């Protein structure tokens, strides 16, 4: 059924409306296959970086792409033969049909992902397609987004009361300030502390929100979350419990606001993509996607639902939100629960908070030069970082004593949208200092490791 719909859409777009088509990854495989080509399981699955070894430089889709340009792959199947009226326009060392065009038509397919940060000339390729081939205008700006969204929100919610769940992260903060600009005191925010936040995060963030003039109700519900998570080890079950408890706590608070009509959320585009269930499998259930509104009998308002994180940050700056809030690393809704492998206890959370705090503070304090020679904190060269508590103990020696304590993994990645990520190449001297500080200062930890996996095939979070 899904395939049939895709065939109809593709034919309709190109043959009837004459709109150019660009198939990406599965889209490229689908167009090749449904026109008589072959798609088969790849001998070696290809995830992560590859380089365009040969390509048609003059092709309108590939204009300006550099020799050996890095592209990001994420596929287990591969196109092994294309129909006669298709031509190959790019290859990598491992994938002969990395990009093709239907001869004489404005129809292309690419096996790699031009939309992700780690495809170095991906934006150029998309610009070639959208601007040069389709004639699109590049007229999106943060300021025009603020103007049109504030006007649309006024129209959408009128004089109704809106409640918004704040998480401390940039997405919900930007959504709140946007709404505050549109409807002022008719916005009430609720910030639930599930006890799985970073060290001192609840207190610090509440203070930031007060400074922004937001009306925020802070709820400490950590006892409930810890009780319900007791003994639970399965990652998806942890997420479900946290999602359910969050709804219950939030619902109870929201019911006290009797005139509320709308529920606003800081959901962004990648949250929605990764929670989609196209092939029968969800990658991860992000807890701010689905579930909430139906149970709460409120209409849903998601002003950032089409934006990527870098765009949300640009909007936040446009709204005058302080830089330390804008540049805060993303942090998952289920918090440290998805960074403690195995069951969750207050003691494990304490250990992880202390280790994480040393790592994050270390990144903030360690200065490096940026591309233009200016000093910046290492923290700002990293998309997201955090510590993970591993479910293993290992032998060590401290003083004259043998220890048998926990291992912590550190994860720091570069990215622009969290759809793909690479491990951050942190300086060895920095890692030596952080490892030393963690082992010396955090009681219960005697070993520190660094995670060097990219996404895909790994994900940013361990659970
Ligand atoms: P993964 O681990 O899927 O994470 O590579 C991609 C980005 O999403 C964040 N993340 C979440 N955010 N609820 C959230 O609000 C969640 O359940 C959740 N899971 C992952 C993650 O921290 C990264 O920025």
């Amino acid at each position: 059924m899904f395939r049939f719909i895709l065939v109809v859409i593709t034919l309709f777009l190109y043959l009837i409306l004459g709109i150019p088509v660009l198939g990406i990854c599965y889209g490229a495989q689908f167009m090749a296959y449904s026109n008589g080509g072959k798609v088969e399981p790849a001998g070696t699955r290809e995830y992560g970086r590859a380089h365009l070894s040969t390509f048609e430089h003059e092709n309108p889709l590939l204009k300006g792409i550099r020799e050996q340009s890095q592209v990001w792959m994420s596929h287990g199947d591969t196109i092994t033969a294309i129909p006669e009226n298709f031509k190959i326009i790019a290859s990598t060392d491992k994938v002969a049909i990395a990009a093709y065009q239907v001869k004489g038509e404005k129809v292309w397919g690419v096996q790699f992902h031009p939309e992700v940060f780690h495809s170095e000339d991906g934006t150029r390729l998309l610009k070639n397609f959208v601007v040069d081939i389709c004639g699109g205008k590049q007229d999106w700006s943060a300021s025009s987004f603020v103007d049109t969204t504030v006007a649309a929100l006024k129209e959408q919610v009128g004089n109704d009361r809106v409640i918004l769940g704040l998480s401390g992260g940039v997405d919900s903060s930007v959504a709140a300030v946007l709404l505050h600009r549109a409807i002022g005191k008719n916005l009430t925010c609720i910030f639930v502390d599930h006890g799985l936040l970073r060290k001192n995060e609840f207190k610090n963030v509440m203070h930031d929100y007060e400074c922004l003039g937001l009306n925020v109700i802070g709820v400490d519900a950590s006892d409930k979350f810890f009780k319900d998570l007791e003994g639970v080890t399965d990652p998806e079950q942890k997420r479900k419990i946290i999602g359910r408890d969050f709804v219950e706590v939030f619902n109870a608070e929201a019911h006290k606001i009797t005139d509320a009509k709308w529920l606003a959320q800081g959901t962004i585009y990648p949250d929605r993509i990764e929670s989609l269930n196209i092939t029968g499998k969800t990658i991860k259930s992000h807890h701010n996607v689905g579930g909430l509104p139906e149970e709460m009998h409120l209409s849903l308002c998601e002003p950032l639902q089409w934006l990527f994180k870098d765009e949300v940050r640009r909007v936040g700056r446009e709204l005058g939100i302080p830089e330390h809030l804008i540049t805060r690393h993303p942090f998952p809704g289920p918090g440290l629960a998805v960074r403690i492998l195995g069951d969750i206890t207050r003691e494990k959370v304490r250990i992880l908070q202390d280790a994480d705090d040393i790592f994050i503070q270390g990144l903030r304090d360690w200065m490096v030069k940026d591309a233009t020679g200016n000093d910046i904190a290492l923290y700002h060269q990293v998309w997201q970082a955090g510590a993970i508590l591993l479910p293993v103990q290992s032998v060590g020696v401290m003083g004259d004593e043998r220890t048998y304590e926990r291992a912590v993994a550190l994860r720091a990645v570069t990215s622009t949208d969290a759809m793909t990520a690479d491990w951050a190449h942190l300086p060895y001297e920095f890692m030596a200092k952080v490892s030393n500080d963690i082992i010396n200062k955090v009681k219960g930890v005697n070993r520190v490791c660094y995670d060097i996996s990219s996404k895909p095939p790994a994900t940013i979070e361990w659970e």
Side-chain angles (χ1 to χ4, degrees), residues 215-233:
N215 169 22
V216 188
I217 301 167
V219 190
D220 176 0
S222 53
D223 284 346
K224 177 178 174 58
F225 283 86
F226 277 109
K227 185 170 160 289
D228 293 347
L229 284 168
E230 209 176 297
V232 178
T233 54

Side-chain angles (χ1 to χ4, degrees), residues 239 274 284-287 330 332-334 384 418 455 459-461:
R239 279 168 189 273
E274 293 211 333
K284 279 183 193 175
S285 45
H286 285 244
H287 85 210
Q384 180 168 9
K455 173 185 179 177
T459 51
I460 296 175
E461 304 297 343

Side-chain angles (χ1 to χ4, degrees), residues 167 171 239 270-271 274 283-288 309 330-335 338-339 383-384 411 417-419 421 455 458-463:
S167 70
D171 305 339
R239 279 168 189 273
D271 298 345
E274 293 211 333
I283 296 177
K284 279 183 193 175
S285 45
H286 285 244
H287 85 210
N288 52 350
K309 185 77 95 190
F331 187 69
V338 291
R339 293 184 182 170
W383 161 266
Q384 180 168 9
R411 176 92 162 126
D417 50 20
M419 301 293 288
K455 173 185 179 177
T459 51
I460 296 175
E461 304 297 343
W462 278 45
E463 286 196 337

Side-chain angles (χ1 to χ4, degrees), residues 36-173:
K38 259 198 204 153
V39 176
E40 296 173 294
T44 319
R45 297 179 308 158
E46 204 178 20
Y47 295 99
R49 72 171 60 74
H51 294 90
L52 292 184
S53 46
T54 52
F55 63 94
E56 208 177 78
H57 293 77
E58 296 315 314
N59 193 286
L61 186 71
L62 303 177
K63 252 183 347 189
I65 306 286
R66 289 165 291 183
E67 292 293 340
Q68 293 296 325
S69 185
Q70 175 176 293
V71 290
W72 215 249
M73 295 283 189
S74 182
H75 60 112
D77 294 335
T78 198
I79 305 168
T80 49
I82 47 173
E84 257 180 30
N85 59 329
F86 285 35
K87 61 172 175 170
I88 297 173
I89 58 167
S91 310
T92 71
D93 284 346
K94 289 203 193 116
V95 177
I97 308 169
Y100 63 74
Q101 180 178 8
V102 180
K103 288 176 194 164
E105 311 272 6
K106 289 184 179 177
V107 178
W108 287 265
V110 290
Q111 180 61 75
F112 53 90
H113 287 264
E115 76 282 15
V116 305
F117 170 65
H118 293 94
S119 286
E120 289 170 341
D121 293 321
T123 309
R124 174 68 204 238
L125 185 150
L126 291 175
K127 188 176 170 203
N128 288 342
F129 182 71
V130 176
V131 179
D132 298 349
I133 296 170
C134 301
K137 292 196 200 89
Q138 287 183 284
D139 56 1
W140 189 93
S141 74
S143 115
S144 67
F145 177 83
V146 170
D147 291 345
T148 50
T149 309
V150 166
L153 286 170
K154 282 184 180 165
E155 176 86 8
Q156 186 182 18
V157 302
N159 290 324
D160 293 347
R161 174 156 304 279
V162 179
I163 33 185
L164 179 143
L166 281 171
S167 70
V170 61
D171 305 339
S172 60
S173 305

Side-chain angles (χ1 to χ4, degrees), residues 437-453:
D437 284 352
I438 291 176
I439 292 171
N440 284 336
K441 294 181 188 161
V442 183
K443 200 165 165 289
V445 175
N446 69 352
R447 200 170 289 267
V448 172
C449 318
Y450 189 59
D451 179 352
I452 54 166
S453 355

